[in-house]
Amino acid sequence: MEKKIKYANEELTIIWQPELCQHAGVCVQALPNVYKPQERPWIKIDNATTEELIAQINKCPSGALSYRINKG
């Protein structure tokens, strides 16, 4: 079973699948205030807008990052 770790705020849920992650660093380079691999939790979802997060997640080369819009 694939592990899925979720990070959420009011608008968005980021889903990270560590088994798929290629550690290319695209996320860290694009949004260094959000993705902090040395910290726990390593994704600080509130440090960017929903639009910025979605744009970056869509560039994840491995598909390890995905998202869901939260219904509110």
Side-chain angles (χ1 to χ4, degrees):
M1 182 183 337
E2 289 185 9
K3 183 177 185 179
K4 293 182 180 182
I5 301 170
K6 298 176 183 177
Y7 302 87
N9 65 17
E10 207 170 286
E11 297 180 358
L12 189 74
T13 298
I14 297 174
I15 301 139
W16 179 51
Q17 298 178 73
E19 290 86 8
L20 296 179
C21 188
Q22 297 174 350
H23 304 287
V26 173
C27 56
V28 177
Q29 292 171 5
L31 294 174
N33 290 330
V34 173
Y35 300 98
K36 299 183 175 276
Q38 305 305 320
E39 297 181 20
R40 296 295 176 261
W42 78 283
I43 296 177
K44 314 293 187 197
I45 192 170
D46 292 323
N47 289 349
T49 67
T50 296
E51 293 78 16
E52 290 171 325
L53 293 165
I54 290 171
Q56 181 283 307
I57 290 167
N58 287 335
K59 295 177 183 173
C60 179
S62 66
L65 291 171
S66 60
Y67 67 90
R68 178 179 70 230
I69 302 291
N70 299 331
K71 298 185 182 194

